[in-house]
Amino acid sequence: MKTLEIACFNFESAILASSAGADRIEFCNNYKVGGVTPTENEIEIIKNKISIPIFVMIRPRAGNFIYTEKEFDRMKFEIEFCKSHKIDGVVFGMLEDNFSIDFEKTKYLTEIAKPMSVTFHRAFDLVQNPFHELEKLISIGVDRILTSGLSDNAFDGGSFIKRFIDESGGLIKIVVGGGVRSSNLKIISELTNANEFHSSALINNSDLADENEIKIMKEILKNLI
């Protein structure tokens, strides 16, 4: 079964995505900066409004993924908050100055997040040695990596994504993201042989997920099974 995750930057998008048949929501704020953590109140409300799995973005600010101790403490608090409110998963990523994954902090957050699912987000696309970093995340126990294959979009990074999937040996799930839309979903699926896809489903410069776009993507994935 191929899975469609919709990145939602507001309540309305989450409701639309759920009704249109999305399999999972990544809930965050501020599309223009690639998503930051929603407020605690927003997390509580969305948990009560939709029944499909919700993964919450844990990102204290826009910009790079090298965080101060104060920012790291905030991330810990937000993960514990999500856990206490029975959120299904969290999404985060942390790097060192040399663009390697911050192993110790990622391991710590992954451990306190369990049993929630953990996704390492597209900070992964900035690493210098992706196959070594892939092994790191597997050893930590991260459940998923969201990636565009080290490229600006998943189509251009398709060959790398397929290599990640092959190299992972099923020990971690690879979620394909970055410009995924109904117009290219089939070819990206064929290029990568992936089972999980991530899209904001935003079209026509709207800040709302497009219900019809989600339905079309779901139908495409259904026919690829």
Side-chain angles (χ1 to χ4, degrees):
M1 174 72 79
K2 294 186 183 290
T3 298
L4 179 63
E5 174 182 88
I6 301 297
C8 297
F9 300 87
N10 46 59
F11 295 123
E12 295 86 353
S13 290
I15 300 301
L16 286 170
S18 179
S19 65
D23 299 296
R24 187 170 66 233
I25 298 297
E26 182 195 79
F27 189 50
C28 49
N29 277 343
N30 203 337
Y31 170 73
K32 291 182 179 179
V33 301
V36 293
T37 309
T39 67
E40 294 159 30
N41 185 53
E42 289 171 328
I43 293 170
E44 290 177 324
I45 292 172
I46 202 66
K47 177 64 178 176
N48 291 327
K49 282 186 175 290
I50 66 174
S51 58
I52 63 174
I54 301 166
F55 287 5
V56 172
M57 172 76 78
I58 306 297
R59 187 184 179 201
R61 57 160 171 78
N64 66 34
F65 304 103
I66 303 166
Y67 296 115
T68 65
E69 287 302 318
K70 184 176 180 179
E71 289 167 339
F72 181 58
D73 287 342
R74 182 64 192 172
M75 294 171 78
K76 288 189 284 186
F77 172 82
E78 289 164 343
I79 288 173
E80 294 283 11
F81 180 86
C82 288
K83 188 174 181 178
S84 69
H85 285 75
K86 302 189 184 305
I87 296 298
D88 302 280
V90 288
V91 182
F92 59 82
M94 289 171 292
L95 302 177
E96 302 271 18
D97 291 335
N98 63 358
F99 292 97
S100 65
I101 288 169
D102 190 324
F103 181 87
E104 292 301 328
K105 288 181 178 176
T106 301
K107 184 173 186 290
Y108 181 87
L109 293 188
T110 299
E111 288 173 350
I112 67 169
K114 295 299 181 179
M116 293 188 296
S117 182
V118 172
T119 301
F120 194 95
H121 61 44
R122 287 183 62 194
F124 184 81
D125 291 321
L126 300 175
V127 302
Q128 297 298 307
N129 190 343
F131 295 100
H132 176 69
E133 303 303 311
L134 175 68
E135 293 298 325
K136 272 190 190 179
L137 294 178
I138 290 172
S139 72
I140 288 169
V142 169
D143 299 286
R144 291 175 174 80
I145 300 172
L146 173 62
T147 179
S148 58
L150 313 184
S151 298
D152 290 336
N153 62 77
F155 177 79
D156 290 342
S159 60
F160 259 119
I161 295 170
K162 187 177 188 305
R163 286 182 64 191
F164 295 150
I165 292 170
D166 293 341
E167 288 285 332
S168 69
L171 297 177
I172 193 168
K173 295 176 181 177
I174 305 298
V175 186
V176 180
V180 175
R181 297 292 185 274
S182 61
S183 59
N184 58 23
L185 179 55
K186 185 174 185 294
I187 186 64
I188 289 173
S189 177
E190 292 169 351
L191 285 171
T192 63
N193 197 32
N195 287 320
E196 298 200 19
F197 300 86
H198 171 100
S199 175
S200 65
L202 298 178
I203 60 175
N204 300 323
N205 297 314
S206 173
D207 62 355
L208 290 179
D210 186 274
E211 187 173 9
N212 192 52
E213 173 74 355
I214 296 168
K215 288 179 178 179
I216 294 170
M217 286 193 285
K218 278 293 296 180
E219 189 64 23
I220 291 170
L221 292 179
K222 178 181 176 182
N223 291 331
L224 290 175
I225 294 172

